[in-house]
Amino acid sequence: SQTIHQWPATLVQPVGSPLSLECTVEGTSNPNLYWYRQAAGRGLQLLFYSVGIGQISSEVPQNLSASRPQDRQFILSSKKLLLSDSGFYLCAWSVSLRVRPFFGPGTRLTVL
Amino acid sequence: GQQLNQSPQSMFIQEGEDVSMNCTSSSIFNTWLWYKQDPGEGPVLLIALYKAGELTSNGRLTAQFGITRKDSFLNISASIPSDVGIYFCAGQRGVRETSGSRLTFGEGTQLTVNP
C-alpha cells in the first residue's frame, strides 16, 4: 500500500531564515506530487505540482520554491521566510490518470 | 480563476441529526471530490464523483454530482460526535496526463456535533 510522509511535523522559524520541508511517497512509482498551503485551518491553496523528476509547475507567485530530486521526493524551500509564510503545508500525491489525491499529515509552520 | 463557493461555513448540530452541505461554481467541473480534515491532520478523501448526476454513498455519507456539473452536495445522516471536522469539496475541470491533476478547493464547512 502507498504511504506519504512529511517532516518535520511542526516548525518554528524566525523571519528571514531558510526553509526546507520534505515529502516522500512509498509504494508507488511516478506519482503526481503537490504542495498545498492551508491558512487558519480552511481553504487549501495549491502552491506547486510535479508530474516527474525535475518538473515543477508553480501555481501562484510567492516566496517559496519546490524541487523534485527523486521520483518520490518533493521538497518545499525558501531562502528567506516571511511572516506570511506561516501556515499548514500539505503534500499530496496522485496517480496520473485519475483525480484522487491523497494527503500527507502536514507540517505546521510558524514564522515569528 | 476558478472558485468554489462552499456553504455553510460552519454548522452546529445535535448528535443524530442529518447534515447537508454544498458547493457551487461558475465553471463546469468534470470531477467532484469530498474530503474531511481532522484538526492538525491532512484531508482524507470521503467520496469521489466522476459523472454528472452521479449519486454515491459511503456509509452514512451521500454525495451527488450536479447535472449542470457546476455543483455538488454532501449529506451526512444520523451524525455522531466523530463526524466533527472540516469538510472540503474539491473540483477538477479535466485530467490530462501531461499536465497533471489539479484541484480547486472550497473554503470548507466546519462541523460541530454536540452529544
Side-chain angles (χ1 to χ4, degrees):
Chain A
S1 64
Q2 301 85 7
T3 56
I4 179 169
H5 305 278
Q6 284 186 246
W7 63 90
T10 59
L11 190 61
V12 180
Q13 292 283 97
V15 169
S17 64
L19 173 74
S20 181
L21 303 182
E22 190 164 342
C23 170
T24 58
V25 181
E26 297 176 356
T28 186
S29 296
N30 196 30
N32 291 337
L33 296 173
Y34 314 84
W35 278 112
Y36 284 87
R37 177 168 58 203
Q38 186 178 34
R42 321 270 307 242
L44 284 76
Q45 179 187 38
L46 179 63
L47 302 177
F48 301 96
Y49 71 96
S50 171
V51 300
I53 296 174
Q55 300 179 63
I56 307 295
S57 296
S58 174
E59 287 295 294
V60 293
Q62 59 202 302
N63 184 43
L64 303 168
S65 62
S67 61
R68 186 169 177 175
Q70 301 181 45
D71 181 43
R72 288 168 288 179
Q73 183 184 32
F74 206 22
I75 296 172
L76 184 69
S77 305
S78 174
K79 292 182 180 178
K80 288 185 178 181
L81 284 169
L82 306 172
L83 286 174
S84 58
D85 291 325
S86 293
F88 193 48
Y89 288 84
L90 290 157
C91 180
W93 75 273
S94 72
V95 297
S96 58
L97 290 181
R98 297 289 276 180
V99 176
R100 297 184 107 169
F102 295 93
F103 287 85
T107 294
R108 173 74 60 193
L109 172 65
T110 303
V111 182
L112 302 175
Chain B
Q2 302 167 47
Q3 282 191 323
L4 288 182
N5 299 308
Q6 186 171 348
S7 64
Q9 276 192 325
S10 60
M11 302 181 73
F12 298 84
I13 62 171
Q14 293 298 123
E15 183 177 359
E17 290 183 3
D18 297 342
V19 173
S20 184
M21 58 192 79
N22 69 85
C23 275
T24 60
S25 171
S26 57
S27 302
I28 289 174
F29 286 98
N30 292 317
T31 300
W32 285 94
L33 305 175
W34 285 93
Y35 287 87
K36 182 194 176 193
Q37 185 178 28
D38 291 326
E41 299 183 12
V44 174
L45 182 66
L46 298 174
I47 292 179
L49 302 161
Y50 298 106
K51 291 176 60 177
E54 180 181 356
L55 183 70
T56 297
S57 294
N58 178 8
R60 293 178 295 107
L61 278 62
T62 302
Q64 184 159 29
F65 193 144
I67 291 292
T68 65
R69 293 194 286 161
K70 293 182 179 181
D71 64 316
S72 177
F73 71 75
L74 175 71
N75 288 338
I76 305 174
S77 62
S79 59
I80 58 178
S82 61
D83 289 335
V84 165
I86 302 178
Y87 291 80
F88 291 98
C89 64
Q92 181 183 309
R93 292 183 66 185
V95 177
R96 294 176 56 194
E97 194 164 7
T98 55
S99 64
S101 55
R102 295 154 63 167
L103 298 176
T104 300
F105 279 83
E107 288 295 302
T109 295
Q110 173 72 62
L111 177 63
T112 302
V113 180
N114 297 313

